[in-house]
Amino acid sequence: LLLLSLPFMACQEDNDAPTLPDLNIYLDRFEEEARQRGYDLELSDVDVAYVDEIEINGNTFCGWGYSNFNNSGTRRIEISTANSCGWMERSDIERENFFFHEIGHAFFNRSHDESRLCDGSPLSIMNFTDTWNTYEEEEERAYYISELIDRMAALDQCIDYERGWVNDSVFYQFTP
């Protein structure tokens, strides 16, 4: 009787395991956000995939946005399922923050930007420090998505020039 019940118990355990959300949800969500801002972005060609681990140059990452995956011309976003990244434990808004950051790399070919606003918050979702928690409130979300699509959205913000004039992606420093 015990041997006959083992396969049933094994199946029961699998049903209780959390399932990974379809990453295309975040691509669709970003396309809709862009459309609401007057941009018609086509992200269907961006490949998205879960991977066990992302290791690049000896460093481990929780996600990576490739603008040219393996020199194939393919834009690709990989999300690590490693326990240390905690993708399944994150809230939907944290996943969105992180995924939209990776869209910045893969689709817009943006690099990290550690510039800060006057209140100390990141200038851009492309910051490396607050990748999971750049925004939570709807007003912040609207700004960061707009800035990701069009960097000029930051022009009306108070930027702390002393923190990172050289790193600022919106304004440039003249060096003689």
Side-chain angles (χ1 to χ4, degrees):
L1 186 60
L2 181 61
L3 289 175
L4 292 174
S5 65
L6 281 177
F8 175 75
M9 289 171 42
C11 289
Q12 186 67 27
E13 288 176 20
D14 288 345
N15 290 338
D16 293 339
T19 57
L20 294 167
D22 182 359
L23 293 174
N24 287 302
I25 292 168
Y26 299 104
L27 284 177
D28 294 343
R29 191 179 295 174
F30 191 80
E31 279 183 352
E32 179 57 30
E33 290 294 332
R35 206 171 358 269
Q36 290 175 13
R37 289 162 175 77
Y39 296 91
D40 186 22
L41 302 182
E42 177 59 48
L43 300 178
S44 63
D45 290 339
V46 177
D47 289 339
V48 293
Y50 284 110
V51 295
D52 292 332
E53 185 176 76
I54 302 168
E55 186 176 325
I56 299 172
N57 298 327
N59 297 309
T60 304
F61 298 92
C62 292
W64 197 267
Y66 299 90
S67 60
N68 186 9
F69 182 67
N70 289 338
N71 293 319
S72 66
T74 303
R75 298 175 190 278
R76 179 180 171 96
I77 297 173
E78 293 182 345
I79 300 296
S80 173
T81 57
N83 288 337
S84 59
C85 293
W87 180 259
M88 289 306 295
E89 290 76 36
R90 303 285 181 170
S91 69
D92 181 63
I93 197 73
E94 288 175 315
R95 290 180 195 159
E96 180 186 283
N97 272 257
F98 190 77
F99 195 87
F100 285 8
H101 172 97
E102 297 306 332
I103 286 174
H105 291 305
F107 192 79
F108 296 108
N109 201 26
R110 301 252 323 251
S111 58
H112 289 137
D113 184 343
E114 293 304 315
S115 299
R116 295 282 166 173
L117 297 171
C118 291
D119 67 1
S121 58
L123 174 70
S124 174
I125 196 171
M126 295 310 299
N127 76 88
F128 189 70
T129 309
D130 302 318
T131 310
W132 297 97
N133 298 299
T134 301
Y135 59 81
E136 291 178 12
E137 314 256 336
E138 189 57 37
E139 187 176 323
E140 294 172 324
R141 181 179 184 270
Y143 163 72
Y144 284 110
I145 293 171
S146 294
E147 190 278 334
L148 180 58
I149 295 169
D150 180 2
R151 290 189 236 179
M152 299 307 280
L155 284 177
D156 64 349
Q157 299 296 312
C158 176
I159 299 171
D160 185 352
Y161 298 109
E162 291 182 27
R163 290 187 190 223
W165 178 267
V166 174
N167 298 324
D168 192 325
S169 62
V170 178
F171 302 103
Y172 298 93
Q173 177 182 19
F174 175 73
T175 307

